Each structure stands twice: as structure tokens, then as C-alpha cells.
Amino acid sequence: MLWPATAFLTGDALAFHANLDRAVANCRRHAGDWELGVTLMLRTHVAIDIAGGLPTVDEDLAELREIARRVGDRWTRAQVASAAGEIGLSRGRYDWARAEYEECLRLAREVGAHIEAPFAIARIAETAYCTGDVDGAERLIAEAEAEADRYGVVDVRAFNRLLSAAIGIHRGDFDRARAAYDDARERAAELLVPPQMTAGLDNLEAVLAAHKDGPEAGLTLIGPALAAAVEAHCAERVLAGLAETAARLLADADRPAEAVRVLAAATAWRAGHPRPAPEQAAVDGLPARARALLGPAGYAREEAAGATLGPADLAAALTRS
């Protein structure tokens, strides 16, 4: 069970995934339900977070639910619900994700897993934000902070500040967004944060730079941020979020053809899964603006070209431009 940790600690992402598969196989041969469940949970969480991993999770999640039923361990059931919630977020099924995180929270509180509770509340806040309920998200962030204070859980605060910064940008309150971003970045520097957290911070930094110094200032940051996220094997929804920011900045910089290509690439990477409501609102006007400048034929040509762009190619193009 512990062998994959060696690859994780050395930063060898590909070896980590291969070792996880070996660990699952070993647990099937030599271990019981609890050990297999823990290892499958780790593989599921990892798959959700990496490029190409989301389509592989359903079989593991179904087995995890059956194991949790057999074992009857509420902590295990809480972890399975958390994994299901993350899958729901990744697929844009925000109501389902919220229900799963609420089940995780209920079970965590039942067994006294006080470290888990603030994280579950923070993810419920994220589901609210993704549906466009930013007021509800703010209330839940405050609840997560209170829970974290009560039990001394400091790790969740970086994520709470990141989400608060995103809400500030959505509301147009850039002073508040900058303060929350700075706090999130400072806290993240003290932790071993996952690559998707770093990508989220980089995305916010580009938006804040664009607001302060113009879209080109944001574009100088977003290309390297996307390249770093690609190098870290971040999931497609993370890569798409960065690309959508680039598309907005390109449109604001009067580069409509590039904006259309980049937005089309991001849409293709999402593979039919909807954007969070605030992110959808941010790009809603872009197609009409670009079509008016490029004409229907020009728009269709750029959209078709963008739909074939892979993340690495787009990161390289944005970094060069």
C-alpha cells in the first residue's frame, strides 16, 4: 500500500500512477476490503486530478461503494462520498457533487473526523460557487473557517482564500480579490499544495495583473501557467480554466481570431462537461464579439482550428505570443 508514496515524494508522477496500479493488484491478491478500499480511493482521487484520468474512475467508484457497504466503516464511506463529490465537480454535476460532500460531512462529524469537516464544507462552498450561488458560497466559506478555527485545521485556509479571491473577481471587487489572493499564495507557499491549486492561483494572478496593467500583462503570465499545469499533468478542467482566461484576455487585447481558437480548444478539453456558472458568464459575450469582427466564415474557421489544439501546443503558442 505504501510503495506509491516513494514515487509521490520524489515527484515522479508517471511512476506514481504505475505503482498505484501495482498496489491495487497486490491488495486484491493479499489484502482485505479495507486495504483495497484505501488504495482504490487513492487511485480514484489521483485519476480525477490528472489529464486523461476522469474517464477511468467509474469502475473504481462503483467498487468503492460496494466495499464501503460491506465494510460498514463510516470513515471509509465518508471518503467514498468525497471522491464521488470530486467526480461530480469535474463533470459539472454540481448538485450531485454537493449531495456527496454533504454526506461526507455528515459521516465525518459522526465519527469525530474533525480534520475532514472543514475541507468538506469548503468543497460544498465550491459547489455553490459553481452553480452561481456566490452568496451561499461565502456563507459556507465562513462556516469552513469557523470549523477550521475550532479544531486547528490550517491547511484548508489556502483553498478558502483562493475561492474568496475568485468570488471577488466575479463580483468586480478587485481589492478584495487581491487581498484574498495574496493570502492564499502566502499560505500555499507554506504547504505541499497539489498542482491544481498552484494552477488556480496562477489563473487568478493573470486576471488580477490584467485588471491592473491591461490584458497583455495577464497574457504574459497565462502562457507559462498553462505550460506548468500541462507539465504537472493537471486535469482537463484545470487546463480549460486557464485557457478560458487566456481567451478572455486575447479578446480584450483585440486579438479575436486567437481568442476564438483558444476558447474552442478549452471547450473541446471539457468534453461536453459544463463550465462553472461564473466562468461561463465570463466568456458568454466572447463569441458574439468575435463573430462580429471576424464574420461567420472567419469565426467558423478559427473555431475549427482551435478545437484540434492540444494543451501543450496551446501553452507553447501562448508563451510565444
Side-chain angles (χ1 to χ4, degrees), residues 260 287-304:
V260 171
R289 287 166 56 194
R291 192 176 283 108
L293 293 167
L294 301 173
Y299 184 94
R301 182 174 59 251
E302 300 299 341
E303 186 177 42

Side-chain angles (χ1 to χ4, degrees), residues 230-247:
V230 171
E231 179 69 20
H233 307 286
C234 285
E236 285 82 359
R237 76 180 181 116
V238 175
L239 304 178
L242 289 161
E244 285 152 5
T245 293

Side-chain angles (χ1 to χ4, degrees), residues 3 30 172 193 219 262:
W3 184 248
H30 305 298
V193 299
L219 286 167
V262 173

Side-chain angles (χ1 to χ4, degrees), residues 77-135:
R77 287 163 52 200
Q79 298 305 304
V80 174
S82 176
E86 198 168 351
I87 292 168
L89 274 172
S90 297
R91 289 178 170 159
R93 298 179 61 183
Y94 304 122
D95 291 340
W96 175 45
R98 180 168 187 151
E100 294 288 352
Y101 281 122
E102 286 174 346
E103 175 71 355
C104 171
L105 176 62
R106 182 184 69 80
L107 291 165
R109 283 178 166 161
E110 279 188 11
V111 299
H114 301 307
I115 290 176
E116 302 280 351
F119 287 99
I121 298 167
R123 299 311 294 270
I124 296 168
E126 184 181 7
T127 67
Y129 170 79
C130 287
T131 63
D133 179 13
V134 292
D135 290 339

Side-chain angles (χ1 to χ4, degrees), residues 32-110:
D33 278 341
W34 192 90
E35 294 84 0
L36 175 59
V38 168
T39 311
L40 281 174
M41 274 190 283
L42 179 56
R43 185 165 75 175
T44 300
H45 279 294
V46 169
I48 297 163
D49 289 337
I50 64 167
L54 189 59
T56 71
V57 299
D58 294 307
E59 188 173 337
D60 280 356
L61 180 62
E63 185 172 7
L64 279 169
R65 290 194 189 280
E66 178 58 26
I67 288 172
R69 184 193 64 78
R70 287 200 304 268
V71 171
D73 178 337
R74 285 176 291 178
W75 181 85
T76 299
R77 287 163 52 200
Q79 298 305 304
V80 174
S82 176
E86 198 168 351
I87 292 168
L89 274 172
S90 297
R91 289 178 170 159
R93 298 179 61 183
Y94 304 122
D95 291 340
W96 175 45
R98 180 168 187 151
E100 294 288 352
Y101 281 122
E102 286 174 346
E103 175 71 355
C104 171
L105 176 62
R106 182 184 69 80
L107 291 165
R109 283 178 166 161
E110 279 188 11

Side-chain angles (χ1 to χ4, degrees), residues 177-271:
R178 167 57 71 177
Y181 162 80
D182 287 343
D183 193 3
R185 182 70 85 175
E186 182 177 343
R187 290 175 183 276
E190 299 170 355
L191 304 168
L192 182 63
V193 299
Q196 58 268 27
M197 176 77 174
T198 301
L201 288 167
D202 290 346
N203 202 350
L204 293 174
E205 184 179 14
V207 174
L208 291 168
H211 179 261
K212 181 176 182 289
D213 296 316
E216 295 291 352
L219 286 167
T220 64
L221 299 174
I222 203 70
L226 180 57
V230 171
E231 179 69 20
H233 307 286
C234 285
E236 285 82 359
R237 76 180 181 116
V238 175
L239 304 178
L242 289 161
E244 285 152 5
T245 293
R248 298 198 309 270
L249 297 177
L250 287 163
D252 291 343
D254 297 321
R255 295 161 66 178
E258 293 167 272
V260 171
R261 287 200 299 274
V262 173
L263 183 61
T267 301
W269 303 344
R270 287 192 181 274

